Amino acid sequence: MAEPMTAMPASPQPRQRRRLVRDLKAMPGFTATAWLCIVTLYLPILVLIAFSFNENRSVVLWTGFSLDWYAKALENDGIRNAAWVSVKVALFATVISTIAATMAALATTRTKPFIGQGLVYGIINQPLMIPEIVTAIATLSLFALVKKLTGLNGIGYLMLAHAAFCIPFAYMPIRARLETMTLTLEQAAADLYAPPLKVFTLVTLPLLGPGIVAGAMLAFVVSLDDVIITLMIAGPGETTLPIYILGAIRRGITPEINAVSTILVAVSVLLVMLLFIVQRRMQR
Amino acid sequence: MSDREPQSALAAAIDQNKRNERVTRAWLLAPALAIILAISILPLGITVVYSFLTPGTYGGVTWEFSTDSYVQFLFQRDIFDDTLVFNSAYVSIFLRSIGLALGATLGALILGFPTAYFIATKPREQRNIWLFLITLPFWTNLLIRTYAMLLIIRDEGIINIMLMKAGIISSPLTILYTDTAVFIGLIYSFLPFMVLPIYASLEKLDFSLVEAGYDLYANRLKVLFHVIVPLAKPGIVAGCILVFIPGLGAYITPELLGGGKKLMIGNMIAMQFGASRNWPFGSAAALILMALVIVVLLVNALAARRGASNNG
């Protein structure tokens, strides 16, 4: 050992060590862990989907392909009503929250920084920061009070509650879009004597379009998937699809639940994939 | 004179402009702020008020001031002589929830960090696909995902069947309705929240620093823990908070996978507004949960500020 040291003053060791690390970025076991995560995230859902097509009543033993459970689910009045309530609530929440979020995004990006901007961000994002169960029981308390004072009932409460927690989700992509849009085109239009309203409708809004679409889709998905807030405040006859599914699971597991679940998952996944494509377009 | 007039006119115009801008901004902000203030923030105030009232006979509240809800959290009133006896039932539910949420955070970190690193070291085109795969579950219904998990960890679920067919076990492992099930369910639910922020900080990682580490004789473990992890710290902290907070307030996971027997704070609160109908106590418990969340966020904000001032 001592001989080569004297022969070669610069130790050869670093180079050897260095060569051992073939790929600078690789870490042992990391690739396997990543795949494990993907399998963990997707395997349960894939099993659920697979058994929604099972001929048998079992959600365990595969006997053959069939669409019976979908037929059953679509014939089920409870499911149809719940689906209709879900769509109604989600559409209302999407329209209201997207309009409110678009206006708020314009206010927070298209005007100069102002005092209280941090507070405004805080308020808009508030529904994201508080545990959902807390918002749920708090909203329930408010609505119970309002109902007692006014005697008004109806699905409006549920719709408003959904609109509130959808706002931050609609706001995020719209604000992101506005932040990447330059003011040049709007300024050019204004220089050509377009009145502010025309600048907005003919220039800003079309450019902002993809952001608004993205925001609306997120709001729709978030409303469609909500469980906890809806569970606490929905009155009789206001059962949404997720609440119906929760009740059905408590009563006992059937492939019919798998079929409804698959439909709901498919709707969300399709919307999100569409969103992904819209956003990729936006980046170009 | 002639010089002054246009100037003041200009100043007035600018003033007018500024005022207009303020007015426009106020109108634009009004709907969003009004909805959130009325439907999300005002109710929190009501919750605070409710927590100091007396429960009504059939749910709801009667308007009589009382601190019983907070007392009930720690003590049980003896029905005979009205003395207070320490009652650990509710405290232990909180401690259990904190423990489960912390465990799930750690589990998600152990799984999520390597995954984030793996994605960050992929070629740019592949990263988007991987990120999409990690994000997609977040947008699918949590209830349905939890139900799907229930299907595979049941006694008759696919995991037990496969293990039994392989001859590894002879009778099914009971996972469902145990703490293990809740723990697995929480990791499964919130794993994407861990991966995404860590990815965001690793994406910017300068690999010449890793190379420098190897050049200085560090082995992989040393490079990982002394170079990569410190650089990814902001993402790791953000990920841990994003998993811990929803984990602490989880409702669906313990409800389905814990079978409603293994309670967490979220179920305990919901129950007060349902079957056992003690709205003031439920309100108090919700506020205590919120206080815990705020403490976590504050500690994080303070630590971040201290870190920033140390570096600066």
Side-chain angles (χ1 to χ4, degrees), chain A residues 95-107:
Chain A
V95 170
I96 299 293
S97 64
T98 309
I99 292 173
T102 307
M103 291 169 73
L106 284 166

Side-chain angles (χ1 to χ4, degrees), chain A residues 13-14 17-18 20-28 30-31 33-38 40-45 47-48 59-60 96 100 103-104 106-108 111-112 114 120 123-124 126-127 129-131 133-135 137-145 148 160-161 163-164 167 169 218 221-222 224-225 227-228 231-232 242 245-246 249-250 253-254 257-258 261 264-265 268-269 272-273 276 280, chain B residues 21 25 27-29 31-33 35-44 46-47 50 61 63 110-115 117-118 121 125 128-130 132-134 136-145 147-152 154 156-158 161 188 191-192 195 207 210-211 214-215 217-220 223-224 228 245 249 251-252 255-256 266 269-270 273 279 282-283 286-287 289-290 293 297:
Chain A
Q13 260 181 329
R17 279 276 190 125
R18 202 42 201 84
L20 281 174
V21 183
R22 276 209 201 94
D23 183 354
L24 200 63
K25 294 176 174 180
M27 284 286 165
F30 276 27
T31 307
T33 314
W35 281 105
L36 177 70
C37 279
I38 292 293
T40 317
L41 286 175
Y42 284 88
L43 181 75
I45 283 284
V47 170
L48 174 137
V59 274
V60 183
I96 299 293
M103 291 169 73
L106 284 166
T108 47
T111 58
K112 289 186 202 79
F114 54 96
V120 167
I123 293 174
I124 290 175
Q126 184 268 352
M129 291 188 290
I130 287 177
I133 185 72
V134 177
T135 312
I137 63 104
T139 315
L140 170 70
S141 303
L142 170 77
F143 287 174
L145 203 62
K148 210 172 167 188
L160 268 178
I167 288 176
F169 288 96
L218 284 191
V221 170
V222 167
L224 202 62
D225 285 346
V227 175
I228 302 174
L231 184 69
M232 296 307 285
I245 293 173
L246 181 61
I249 295 170
R250 281 175 179 158
I253 293 161
T254 65
I257 304 176
N258 290 34
S261 301
L264 203 52
V265 166
S268 303
V269 168
V272 173
M273 283 173 97
F276 202 65
R280 283 202 126 183
Chain B
E21 197 186 78
R25 186 166 57 218
W27 277 110
L28 285 173
L29 284 173
L33 295 189
I35 293 174
I36 294 173
L37 283 173
I39 311 285
S40 262
I41 294 175
L42 172 70
L44 290 176
I46 292 179
T47 304
Y50 271 25
V61 290
W63 290 81
I110 291 169
L111 284 172
F113 183 87
T115 308
Y117 182 89
F118 169 81
T121 51
E125 322 81 66
N128 277 332
I129 299 168
W130 277 93
F132 181 67
L133 284 176
I134 295 287
L136 193 57
F138 170 69
W139 297 113
T140 51
N141 197 310
L142 184 59
L143 170 70
I144 294 175
R145 291 176 60 213
Y147 167 62
M149 185 49 101
L150 180 150
L151 287 183
I152 67 168
R154 287 191 309 161
E156 317 87 68
I158 205 162
I161 287 185
Y188 168 68
L191 184 60
V195 177
F207 275 93
V210 174
E211 192 170 9
Y214 286 132
D215 282 346
Y217 300 98
N219 56 27
R220 280 192 200 279
V223 166
L224 181 61
I228 299 172
I245 288 177
Y251 172 82
I252 297 172
E255 186 73 11
L256 287 188
I269 294 170
F273 290 82
W279 287 33
S283 302
L287 290 174
L289 167 63
M290 214 173 86
V293 169
L297 291 175

Side-chain angles (χ1 to χ4, degrees), chain A residues 169-180:
Chain A
F169 288 96
Y171 174 79
M172 283 187 294
I174 300 173
R175 181 182 149 198
R177 176 70 178 165
L178 274 168
E179 274 173 348
T180 55

Side-chain angles (χ1 to χ4, degrees), chain B residues 113 201-202 205 223-234 236:
Chain B
F113 183 87
S201 60
L202 282 176
L205 186 72
V223 166
L224 181 61
F225 285 105
H226 292 277
V227 181
I228 299 172
V229 168
L231 288 170
K233 205 177 143 202
I236 293 173

Side-chain angles (χ1 to χ4, degrees), chain B residues 186-294:
Chain B
L186 289 176
I187 295 180
Y188 168 68
S189 302
F190 304 120
L191 184 60
F193 292 144
M194 183 64 86
V195 177
L196 296 175
I198 298 181
Y199 166 79
S201 60
L202 282 176
E203 194 197 13
K204 293 171 283 187
L205 186 72
D206 179 359
F207 275 93
S208 57
L209 293 171
V210 174
E211 192 170 9
Y214 286 132
D215 282 346
L216 295 169
Y217 300 98
N219 56 27
R220 280 192 200 279
L221 266 179
K222 275 209 168 131
V223 166
L224 181 61
F225 285 105
H226 292 277
V227 181
I228 299 172
V229 168
L231 288 170
K233 205 177 143 202
I236 293 173
V237 172
C240 287
I241 287 176
L242 286 176
V243 173
F244 180 74
I245 288 177
L248 193 62
Y251 172 82
I252 297 172
T253 315
E255 186 73 11
L256 287 188
L257 303 179
K261 286 170 208 144
K262 298 281 172 182
L263 279 187
M264 280 180 74
I265 305 173
N267 314 80
M268 200 256 283
I269 294 170
M271 266 175 65
Q272 303 306 322
F273 290 82
S276 55
R277 290 171 183 277
N278 187 339
W279 287 33
F281 181 61
S283 302
L287 290 174
I288 295 169
L289 167 63
M290 214 173 86
L292 277 177
V293 169
I294 290 172

